Amino acid sequence: MKSNDWLHGFRHSSPYINAHRGHTVVLTMPGDAIEHRNFINIIHDIALLSSLGVKLVVAFGARPQIQSRLEDAGQESSFANNLRITPDEQLPLVMEAIGGLRAYIESQLSMGLVNSPMHNARILVSSGNYVTARPVGVLDGIDFGYTGKVRRVDARGIEQLLELGHIVLLPPMGYSPTGDAFNLSYEDVGSQVAAALEAEKLIVFIDDEGLLEEDGALIRELSARQAADRLASNSVTGHDAALLKAACNACVKGVRRAHIISYAEDGALLEELFTRDGSGTLVSGDNYEQIRQARVEDIGGILELIQPLEEQGILVRRSREMLETEVDNFVVAERDGTVVGCAALYHYPEEGAGELSCFAVDPNYRRAGRGDEILAMVEKLARGKGIQKLFILTTQTEHWFRERGFLPAEVQELPGPKLATYNTQRNSKVFFKPL
């Protein structure tokens, strides 16, 4: 029998396709990725994203290409503080290597062979002097010459090209008002451009599947705060530290998500953007808002949030004593120290089920996606507990849950302990969602 796995995956990718259409995604790609045999698949995936309406900026590096060009010319490379020193006499060679790589990437994005995924893609690629740079200068007595840092990004100029449907290609070069060119870190370019554009996502390509723990396990998710802690403790070192710092800086400056994924794994980019679990390491901004496990000190905020809903009969009344006993079951959305949303998860292990309960969002934040983010957090926790299906009892919000995959069910389908306490006077409707 023919497998329809592709059909199931394609259908279930549609919410992610809709979520990314019209949004800006910045791809940060090292020179090693461009030399890798999987690069052609990344090109195909970039073409697919463009055809789906994603606005794309590609910031690329050229370190191995620069190294090769300098060696061919009999020049030695010098590094300090993980930065290449670019003396005056080497700048033309650096520009030559970067220029050649830029032309190669443009040629790959221009393919249109009938038997390839690029057929009829007709991608427009633009580049230019959108990054203003300044010299690194002298550090610890070392003159870095024409090695620079990003000073300013012409966000409006890039946005105009994105609105026209162009892919914007940014080399690791920046220019100064004095007419000088500077060799830049591609991580710095990608991070600063993503922040200036207020991009939805920053994608950082790496040789591993993502950031790894010391035992080789994949780090699935970090908040910007956790990422900063790892950097401060030197638990992430070398080039990985530079990549994590770029992701962290972008999130702190307003980019919602940064994803660190493999350039060697075919389809990693699509898997990260269009599937629920993704493929690499997610770094999320949390400088002023976060969704987390509830703590005892959150009880006052939860009570203040749910009291109006209890008075309207939407939620079952809970006393402070009950909340203190069950606080470990709660997650909260916190913004600037204030609880703006909450939900509870109760586990029924014998039935492999979990109850989503006491779901509340501050009215001022209901149209900003907080409810969906809280639901996603609860579903993640439920899967971690081995829960196979989630259920809710509701009297007034059934359509919100039905729109998010909950299906109507009979009261008798409730887990035994929950069925025994079902309040027939409230006559709540029951909905289940498979996980």
Side-chain angles (χ1 to χ4, degrees):
M1 181 180 294
K2 184 172 68 173
S3 172
N4 283 334
D5 288 348
W6 71 271
L7 182 60
H8 179 271
F10 190 57
R11 284 173 174 162
H12 283 263
S13 68
S14 59
Y16 303 99
I17 293 173
N18 293 330
H20 290 101
R21 184 183 294 115
H23 290 286
T24 300
V25 174
V26 177
L27 307 179
T28 304
M29 191 178 306
D32 301 279
I34 301 166
E35 291 187 342
H36 196 275
R37 63 180 181 275
N38 190 54
F39 180 63
I40 187 60
N41 294 320
I42 296 175
I43 288 290
H44 294 161
D45 293 345
I46 289 174
L48 177 58
L49 292 178
S50 180
S51 70
L52 292 173
V54 180
K55 299 176 181 177
L56 292 170
V57 177
V58 180
F60 68 91
R63 285 171 187 154
Q65 292 81 7
I66 292 172
Q67 183 71 21
S68 177
R69 183 66 190 92
L70 292 176
E71 290 175 356
D72 289 344
Q75 298 276 338
E76 292 188 2
S77 298
S78 298
F79 296 86
N81 296 323
N82 293 319
L83 290 174
R84 180 186 295 277
I85 299 170
T86 312
D88 186 17
E89 66 273 14
Q90 291 187 359
L91 181 61
L93 299 173
V94 170
M95 295 175 68
E96 182 182 327
I98 292 173
L101 197 58
R102 169 184 159 184
Y104 173 71
I105 297 172
E106 288 178 350
S107 72
Q108 297 302 291
L109 288 170
S110 300
M111 285 192 301
L113 296 175
V114 173
N115 61 346
S116 81
M118 302 292 289
H119 182 51
N120 284 334
R122 295 188 178 90
I123 292 174
L124 297 173
V125 184
S126 293
S127 189
N129 58 339
Y130 299 107
V131 176
T132 301
R134 63 175 179 83
V136 169
V138 178
L139 295 178
D140 299 326
I142 299 173
D143 185 353
F144 280 80
Y146 286 90
T147 296
K149 298 183 69 175
V150 175
R151 177 181 176 185
R152 186 173 63 252
V153 175
D154 180 7
R156 182 57 188 149
I158 296 174
E159 287 168 351
Q160 288 175 337
L161 291 171
L162 294 176
E163 289 296 329
L164 292 172
H166 293 218
I167 291 177
V168 178
L169 186 62
L170 297 178
M173 295 290 297
Y175 310 94
S176 73
T178 61
D180 292 310
F182 291 95
N183 178 20
L184 305 180
S185 157
Y186 78 93
E187 303 99 322
D188 189 28
V189 173
S191 179
Q192 298 279 12
V193 168
L197 295 174
E198 298 180 351
E200 181 73 12
K201 294 181 183 294
L202 170 67
I203 305 294
V204 179
F205 284 99
I206 191 174
D207 53 349
D208 286 316
E209 59 180 321
L211 292 179
L212 305 178
E213 299 281 12
E214 289 185 1
D215 61 1
L218 176 65
I219 302 172
R220 299 292 305 180
E221 187 172 341
L222 290 171
S223 68
R225 192 173 303 162
Q226 291 169 329
D229 289 343
R230 284 179 179 257
L231 290 169
S233 65
N234 293 318
S235 60
V236 181
T237 58
H239 192 214
D240 286 0
L243 294 172
L244 182 58
K245 183 178 180 180
C248 183
N249 288 345
C251 288
V252 168
K253 293 178 181 178
V255 177
R256 292 193 64 189
R257 301 285 188 270
H259 305 258
I260 302 174
I261 65 173
S262 171
Y263 61 71
E265 181 183 343
D266 187 12
L269 176 58
L270 300 182
E271 184 178 355
E272 186 66 25
L273 293 181
F274 296 135
T275 66
R276 182 180 63 202
D277 296 326
S279 65
T281 300
L282 168 66
V283 180
S284 57
D286 66 344
N287 52 322
Y288 65 97
E289 183 171 347
Q290 60 177 323
I291 298 175
R292 56 169 175 77
Q293 291 280 166
R295 301 187 285 260
V296 172
E297 54 265 34
D298 297 317
I299 290 176
I302 295 173
L303 282 170
E304 185 177 347
L305 184 66
I306 66 177
Q307 183 178 359
L309 300 175
E310 291 175 345
E311 293 173 352
Q312 297 170 45
I314 297 174
L315 294 180
V316 176
R317 291 188 179 275
R318 284 173 169 80
S319 65
R320 177 178 287 272
E321 291 74 17
M322 178 183 291
L323 286 175
E324 289 175 352
T325 302
E326 301 181 349
V327 70
D328 289 341
N329 295 323
F330 278 76
V331 297
V332 295
E334 177 193 356
R335 183 183 177 94
D336 287 337
T338 301
V339 174
V340 298
C342 69
L345 174 64
Y346 298 94
H347 191 188
Y348 295 85
E350 292 186 3
E351 290 86 353
E355 180 186 7
L356 172 61
S357 183
C358 199
F359 196 111
V361 178
D362 187 300
N364 294 320
Y365 298 95
R366 288 177 186 168
R367 296 186 180 275
R370 301 303 182 285
D372 289 298
E373 292 174 355
I374 294 171
L375 177 59
M377 178 67 156
V378 171
E379 290 181 358
K380 177 181 177 181
L381 291 173
R383 293 188 192 95
K385 294 177 180 290
I387 293 174
Q388 301 170 0
K389 53 187 177 181
L390 207 59
F391 71 88
I392 56 111
L393 278 71
T394 181
T395 58
Q396 299 180 36
T397 57
E398 66 170 278
H399 282 277
W400 191 90
F401 288 103
R402 292 183 69 170
E403 290 167 6
R404 285 150 181 83
F406 284 82
L407 303 173
E410 299 296 329
V411 172
Q412 288 72 24
E413 297 180 49
L414 291 171
K418 186 65 182 179
L419 180 61
T421 61
Y422 178 79
N423 187 339
T424 56
Q425 291 185 333
R426 280 183 61 82
N427 195 28
S428 299
K429 295 183 178 181
V430 178
F431 293 86
F432 275 84
K433 180 179 182 178
L435 298 179

